[in-house]
Amino acid sequence: MVRFKNRYLLFEITWEDGVTDDSVDVRALSNTIRKSIEYNFGDYGAAIMGSGFSMKYYNPYTNVGIFRASRDHFRIAWTACTFITAIRGRSCIINVVHTAGTLKSVQTAAIERGKEILLDLHHKGLIKESRASELADKAKKDIMELDF
């Protein structure tokens, strides 16, 4: 029996206007990335990424997310993210900040990245320390509940 080998990619969305968007969710991101794969790599790209691609997590407060792609073709999904310039009509940039072979490794990186972002928002005076701590705890709980 052959095992499916995957890569987990941690990404961060930077909105051009700097405002977070609660309306963007896992489904919207998944559809946007799939459309980008199909647009940039055609039917071939859509076919090879079909069953191997899965959006696992997205946090609209930190703009950090995780998706899974097959090990042999994860670079196609990464490249498709790079080509995305807008989500639901809002200009943005998607940067892949970490790649891992295990979910555990990318979970750890996501928790650290989320803490950094929330701490930065606190230092800029955009959120209170108690709210940053609350959001960090919620994000950690959500990330650790992810399954394969």
Side-chain angles (χ1 to χ4, degrees):
M1 189 161 136
V2 177
R3 201 170 63 106
F4 292 108
K5 296 183 180 174
N6 299 306
R7 287 289 178 259
Y8 295 90
L9 287 82
L10 175 67
F11 65 91
E12 181 179 9
I13 299 176
T14 305
W15 298 103
E16 186 176 295
D17 57 8
V19 179
T20 60
D21 190 355
D22 295 344
S23 69
V24 175
D25 59 354
V26 171
R27 176 171 277 151
L29 282 172
S30 180
N31 289 338
T32 302
I33 294 172
R34 285 181 189 274
K35 286 178 186 176
S36 179
I37 290 169
E38 187 174 356
Y39 179 78
N40 292 299
F41 297 98
D43 291 337
Y44 171 76
I48 62 173
M49 292 304 293
S51 64
F53 177 82
S54 174
M55 184 68 62
K56 293 293 187 182
Y57 171 78
Y58 177 69
N59 185 328
Y61 298 105
T62 61
N63 295 315
V64 171
I66 299 170
F67 67 85
R68 181 189 73 202
S70 66
R71 184 181 72 175
D72 295 334
H73 306 292
F74 78 95
R75 286 180 184 88
I76 289 175
W78 188 339
T79 304
C81 286
T82 304
F83 288 137
I84 293 172
T85 57
I87 299 172
R88 290 194 174 171
R90 290 189 58 210
S91 296
C92 67
I93 298 171
I94 298 179
N95 294 317
V96 175
V97 294
H98 185 80
T99 305
T102 63
L103 185 58
K104 183 71 173 170
S105 176
V106 81
Q107 284 173 325
T108 304
I111 291 167
E112 291 301 316
R113 186 72 176 161
K115 284 181 184 177
E116 288 173 12
I117 291 168
L118 291 170
L119 188 61
D120 187 42
L121 289 173
H122 170 64
H123 287 307
K124 289 179 180 177
L126 299 174
I127 59 174
K128 294 181 181 180
E129 185 176 3
S130 60
R131 179 72 173 147
S133 177
E134 176 186 321
L135 289 172
D137 291 342
K138 183 182 180 323
K140 181 177 180 179
K141 180 181 176 248
D142 292 344
I143 291 169
M144 295 311 289
E145 288 178 354
L146 294 177
D147 60 349
F148 298 98

